[in-house]
Short mmCIF file of all heavy atoms in Angstrom, two decimals:
data_model
loop_
_atom_site.label_atom_id
_atom_site.label_comp_id
_atom_site.label_asym_id
_atom_site.label_seq_id
_atom_site.Cartn_x
_atom_site.Cartn_y
_atom_site.Cartn_z
N TRP A 1 0.83 -1.19 0.00
CA TRP A 1 0.00 0.00 0.00
C TRP A 1 0.87 1.24 0.00
O TRP A 1 0.56 2.25 0.63
CB TRP A 1 -0.94 0.01 1.21
CG TRP A 1 -2.13 -0.91 1.08
CD1 TRP A 1 -2.29 -1.93 0.19
CD2 TRP A 1 -3.31 -0.89 1.88
NE1 TRP A 1 -3.49 -2.56 0.40
CE2 TRP A 1 -4.14 -1.94 1.43
CE3 TRP A 1 -3.73 -0.11 2.94
CZ2 TRP A 1 -5.38 -2.20 2.01
CZ3 TRP A 1 -4.97 -0.37 3.51
CH2 TRP A 1 -5.79 -1.41 3.04
N GLY A 2 1.97 1.19 -0.73
CA GLY A 2 2.84 2.35 -0.86
C GLY A 2 2.36 3.24 -2.00
O GLY A 2 1.77 2.75 -2.96
N ALA A 3 2.62 4.54 -1.88
CA ALA A 3 2.23 5.49 -2.93
C ALA A 3 3.28 6.58 -3.02
O ALA A 3 3.71 7.13 -2.01
CB ALA A 3 0.86 6.10 -2.64
N ASN A 4 3.68 6.89 -4.24
CA ASN A 4 4.65 7.96 -4.47
C ASN A 4 4.12 9.28 -3.92
O ASN A 4 2.97 9.64 -4.15
CB ASN A 4 4.94 8.11 -5.97
CG ASN A 4 5.70 6.94 -6.53
OD1 ASN A 4 6.37 6.21 -5.81
ND2 ASN A 4 5.62 6.76 -7.84
N GLY A 5 4.99 9.99 -3.20
CA GLY A 5 4.64 11.31 -2.70
C GLY A 5 3.74 11.35 -1.49
O GLY A 5 3.37 12.43 -1.03
N ARG A 6 3.40 10.20 -0.93
CA ARG A 6 2.45 10.19 0.19
C ARG A 6 3.04 10.87 1.42
O ARG A 6 4.13 10.56 1.85
CB ARG A 6 2.04 8.76 0.54
CG ARG A 6 1.12 8.70 1.78
CD ARG A 6 0.68 7.28 2.10
NE ARG A 6 -0.42 6.92 1.21
CZ ARG A 6 -0.63 5.68 0.78
NH1 ARG A 6 0.17 4.70 1.13
NH2 ARG A 6 -1.65 5.43 -0.02
N THR A 7 2.27 11.79 1.97
CA THR A 7 2.57 12.35 3.28
C THR A 7 1.68 11.61 4.29
O THR A 7 0.84 10.79 3.91
CB THR A 7 2.28 13.86 3.32
OG1 THR A 7 0.92 14.08 2.94
CG2 THR A 7 3.22 14.63 2.39
N ILE A 8 1.86 11.92 5.54
CA ILE A 8 1.09 11.23 6.58
C ILE A 8 -0.36 11.70 6.49
O ILE A 8 -0.65 12.89 6.68
CB ILE A 8 1.67 11.53 7.97
CG1 ILE A 8 3.14 11.07 8.04
CG2 ILE A 8 0.84 10.85 9.05
CD1 ILE A 8 3.91 11.60 9.22
N PRO A 9 -1.29 10.78 6.21
CA PRO A 9 -2.69 11.18 6.08
C PRO A 9 -3.35 11.36 7.45
O PRO A 9 -2.81 10.93 8.48
CB PRO A 9 -3.32 10.02 5.31
CG PRO A 9 -2.50 8.84 5.69
CD PRO A 9 -1.10 9.36 5.90
N ALA A 10 -4.53 11.95 7.46
CA ALA A 10 -5.27 12.14 8.70
C ALA A 10 -5.82 10.83 9.23
O ALA A 10 -6.01 10.67 10.44
CB ALA A 10 -6.39 13.14 8.49
N ALA A 11 -6.09 9.87 8.33
CA ALA A 11 -6.67 8.60 8.75
C ALA A 11 -6.19 7.49 7.82
O ALA A 11 -5.85 7.73 6.66
CB ALA A 11 -8.19 8.67 8.74
N MET A 12 -6.19 6.29 8.34
CA MET A 12 -5.81 5.11 7.58
C MET A 12 -6.99 4.66 6.72
O MET A 12 -8.14 4.68 7.19
CB MET A 12 -5.43 3.98 8.55
CG MET A 12 -4.89 2.73 7.91
SD MET A 12 -3.26 2.92 7.19
CE MET A 12 -2.27 3.22 8.63
N PRO A 13 -6.74 4.26 5.47
CA PRO A 13 -7.83 3.67 4.70
C PRO A 13 -8.35 2.42 5.42
O PRO A 13 -7.63 1.85 6.23
CB PRO A 13 -7.16 3.29 3.37
CG PRO A 13 -5.88 4.03 3.34
CD PRO A 13 -5.48 4.30 4.74
N PRO A 14 -9.58 2.01 5.14
CA PRO A 14 -10.11 0.82 5.80
C PRO A 14 -9.20 -0.40 5.57
O PRO A 14 -8.77 -0.66 4.45
CB PRO A 14 -11.47 0.61 5.13
CG PRO A 14 -11.84 1.96 4.60
CD PRO A 14 -10.55 2.62 4.22
N LEU A 15 -8.91 -1.11 6.65
CA LEU A 15 -8.06 -2.29 6.58
C LEU A 15 -8.91 -3.54 6.47
O LEU A 15 -9.98 -3.62 7.10
CB LEU A 15 -7.19 -2.39 7.84
CG LEU A 15 -6.22 -1.24 8.09
CD1 LEU A 15 -5.61 -1.36 9.48
CD2 LEU A 15 -5.14 -1.22 7.03
N PRO A 16 -8.45 -4.53 5.71
CA PRO A 16 -9.18 -5.80 5.68
C PRO A 16 -9.25 -6.39 7.09
O PRO A 16 -8.31 -6.25 7.87
CB PRO A 16 -8.32 -6.68 4.77
CG PRO A 16 -7.50 -5.72 3.96
CD PRO A 16 -7.27 -4.53 4.84
N PRO A 17 -10.36 -7.03 7.43
CA PRO A 17 -10.52 -7.55 8.79
C PRO A 17 -9.53 -8.66 9.16
O PRO A 17 -9.31 -8.92 10.34
CB PRO A 17 -11.97 -8.07 8.82
CG PRO A 17 -12.37 -8.22 7.40
CD PRO A 17 -11.54 -7.26 6.60
N ASP A 18 -8.92 -9.27 8.15
CA ASP A 18 -7.98 -10.37 8.43
C ASP A 18 -6.53 -9.89 8.54
O ASP A 18 -5.60 -10.70 8.53
CB ASP A 18 -8.08 -11.45 7.36
CG ASP A 18 -7.72 -10.96 5.97
OD1 ASP A 18 -7.58 -9.73 5.77
OD2 ASP A 18 -7.56 -11.81 5.07
N THR A 19 -6.31 -8.59 8.71
CA THR A 19 -4.96 -8.04 8.79
C THR A 19 -4.27 -8.51 10.08
O THR A 19 -4.76 -8.24 11.18
CB THR A 19 -4.98 -6.50 8.75
OG1 THR A 19 -5.62 -6.09 7.54
CG2 THR A 19 -3.57 -5.93 8.79
N ASP A 20 -3.15 -9.21 9.93
CA ASP A 20 -2.38 -9.69 11.08
C ASP A 20 -1.28 -8.72 11.47
O ASP A 20 -0.86 -8.70 12.63
CB ASP A 20 -1.74 -11.05 10.76
CG ASP A 20 -2.77 -12.13 10.52
OD1 ASP A 20 -3.63 -12.32 11.40
OD2 ASP A 20 -2.72 -12.78 9.46
N LEU A 21 -0.77 -7.96 10.50
CA LEU A 21 0.32 -7.03 10.78
C LEU A 21 0.21 -5.84 9.83
O LEU A 21 0.09 -6.01 8.62
CB LEU A 21 1.68 -7.70 10.60
CG LEU A 21 2.92 -6.83 10.83
CD1 LEU A 21 2.99 -6.36 12.28
CD2 LEU A 21 4.18 -7.59 10.45
N LEU A 22 0.24 -4.64 10.41
CA LEU A 22 0.28 -3.41 9.63
C LEU A 22 1.66 -2.80 9.84
O LEU A 22 2.02 -2.45 10.97
CB LEU A 22 -0.81 -2.44 10.09
CG LEU A 22 -0.78 -1.05 9.48
CD1 LEU A 22 -1.01 -1.10 7.96
CD2 LEU A 22 -1.80 -0.14 10.15
N VAL A 23 2.41 -2.67 8.76
CA VAL A 23 3.74 -2.07 8.79
C VAL A 23 3.61 -0.66 8.22
O VAL A 23 3.15 -0.49 7.09
CB VAL A 23 4.75 -2.89 7.94
CG1 VAL A 23 6.11 -2.23 7.94
CG2 VAL A 23 4.83 -4.32 8.45
N VAL A 24 3.99 0.34 9.00
CA VAL A 24 3.86 1.74 8.59
C VAL A 24 5.23 2.39 8.57
O VAL A 24 5.96 2.35 9.57
CB VAL A 24 2.92 2.52 9.54
CG1 VAL A 24 2.86 3.99 9.15
CG2 VAL A 24 1.53 1.90 9.54
N MET A 25 5.58 2.98 7.42
CA MET A 25 6.81 3.78 7.31
C MET A 25 6.46 5.03 6.49
O MET A 25 6.31 4.97 5.28
CB MET A 25 7.95 3.01 6.64
CG MET A 25 9.23 3.83 6.61
SD MET A 25 10.67 2.93 6.00
CE MET A 25 10.25 2.69 4.26
N LEU A 26 6.33 6.14 7.19
CA LEU A 26 5.98 7.42 6.58
C LEU A 26 6.77 8.53 7.25
O LEU A 26 7.37 8.33 8.30
CB LEU A 26 4.48 7.69 6.75
CG LEU A 26 3.53 6.89 5.87
CD1 LEU A 26 2.10 7.04 6.38
CD2 LEU A 26 3.62 7.35 4.43
N GLY A 27 6.72 9.72 6.67
CA GLY A 27 7.31 10.90 7.27
C GLY A 27 8.33 11.60 6.41
O GLY A 27 8.54 12.81 6.55
N THR A 28 8.97 10.87 5.50
CA THR A 28 10.00 11.48 4.67
C THR A 28 9.46 12.63 3.84
O THR A 28 10.05 13.72 3.79
CB THR A 28 10.66 10.42 3.76
OG1 THR A 28 11.27 9.43 4.58
CG2 THR A 28 11.70 11.04 2.86
N ASN A 29 8.31 12.43 3.19
CA ASN A 29 7.74 13.50 2.37
C ASN A 29 7.29 14.68 3.21
O ASN A 29 7.35 15.82 2.76
CB ASN A 29 6.60 12.97 1.50
CG ASN A 29 7.11 12.08 0.40
OD1 ASN A 29 8.07 12.42 -0.29
ND2 ASN A 29 6.50 10.91 0.24
N ASP A 30 6.84 14.41 4.43
CA ASP A 30 6.46 15.51 5.31
C ASP A 30 7.67 16.39 5.61
O ASP A 30 7.58 17.62 5.57
CB ASP A 30 5.88 14.95 6.61
CG ASP A 30 4.61 14.15 6.35
OD1 ASP A 30 4.72 12.97 5.97
OD2 ASP A 30 3.51 14.71 6.52
N LEU A 31 8.81 15.76 5.89
CA LEU A 31 10.03 16.51 6.15
C LEU A 31 10.47 17.28 4.91
O LEU A 31 10.86 18.45 5.00
CB LEU A 31 11.15 15.57 6.61
CG LEU A 31 10.92 14.81 7.92
CD1 LEU A 31 12.08 13.86 8.18
CD2 LEU A 31 10.72 15.75 9.09
N LEU A 32 10.39 16.63 3.74
CA LEU A 32 10.78 17.29 2.50
C LEU A 32 9.90 18.49 2.18
O LEU A 32 10.33 19.43 1.51
CB LEU A 32 10.75 16.29 1.33
CG LEU A 32 11.84 15.21 1.34
CD1 LEU A 32 11.55 14.16 0.28
CD2 LEU A 32 13.21 15.83 1.12
N GLN A 33 8.66 18.47 2.67
CA GLN A 33 7.73 19.58 2.44
C GLN A 33 7.80 20.65 3.53
O GLN A 33 6.98 21.55 3.56
CB GLN A 33 6.31 19.04 2.29
CG GLN A 33 6.13 18.24 1.02
CD GLN A 33 4.71 17.73 0.85
OE1 GLN A 33 3.80 18.11 1.56
NE2 GLN A 33 4.53 16.86 -0.13
N GLY A 34 8.77 20.51 4.44
CA GLY A 34 9.00 21.58 5.41
C GLY A 34 8.43 21.36 6.79
O GLY A 34 8.57 22.21 7.66
N ARG A 35 7.77 20.21 7.03
CA ARG A 35 7.30 19.95 8.38
C ARG A 35 8.49 19.56 9.26
O ARG A 35 9.39 18.87 8.82
CB ARG A 35 6.28 18.81 8.39
CG ARG A 35 4.96 19.21 7.80
CD ARG A 35 3.87 18.17 8.05
NE ARG A 35 2.63 18.63 7.50
CZ ARG A 35 2.17 18.29 6.30
NH1 ARG A 35 2.85 17.48 5.53
NH2 ARG A 35 1.01 18.76 5.87
N GLY A 36 8.44 19.97 10.50
CA GLY A 36 9.48 19.58 11.45
C GLY A 36 9.25 18.17 11.95
O GLY A 36 8.15 17.61 11.81
N PRO A 37 10.27 17.55 12.56
CA PRO A 37 10.14 16.18 13.06
C PRO A 37 9.00 16.01 14.07
O PRO A 37 8.27 15.02 14.00
CB PRO A 37 11.49 15.90 13.72
CG PRO A 37 12.41 16.96 13.26
CD PRO A 37 11.60 18.10 12.79
N GLU A 38 8.85 16.96 14.97
CA GLU A 38 7.80 16.84 15.99
C GLU A 38 6.42 16.95 15.36
O GLU A 38 5.49 16.23 15.74
CB GLU A 38 7.98 17.91 17.08
CG GLU A 38 9.23 17.73 17.92
CD GLU A 38 10.50 18.26 17.26
OE1 GLU A 38 10.41 18.97 16.21
OE2 GLU A 38 11.59 17.96 17.77
N GLU A 39 6.28 17.87 14.40
CA GLU A 39 4.98 18.02 13.72
C GLU A 39 4.64 16.75 12.95
O GLU A 39 3.50 16.27 12.99
CB GLU A 39 5.00 19.22 12.78
CG GLU A 39 3.67 19.45 12.08
CD GLU A 39 3.69 20.58 11.08
OE1 GLU A 39 4.73 21.26 10.93
OE2 GLU A 39 2.66 20.78 10.41
N ALA A 40 5.61 16.20 12.23
CA ALA A 40 5.36 14.95 11.48
C ALA A 40 5.00 13.82 12.44
O ALA A 40 4.08 13.04 12.16
CB ALA A 40 6.59 14.60 10.66
#
């Protein structure tokens, strides 16, 4: 569920009910767009 240019969204899209593990890695684009680490 990766997407080019994605910043941290306000909410997660609906997850399938059988999800055993959600791996999240975000924040790089937020920093590149000028957000500080604490804000991100």
Side-chain angles (χ1 to χ4, degrees):
W1 283 17
N4 291 338
R6 176 178 280 148
T7 56
I8 301 166
M12 185 70 66
L15 298 170
D18 62 349
T19 302
D20 296 306
L21 179 64
L22 173 63
V23 178
V24 176
M25 183 174 68
L26 285 167
T28 299
N29 288 314
D30 297 81
L31 297 177
L32 290 170
Q33 291 181 10
R35 288 191 178 96
E38 293 81 11
E39 182 184 357

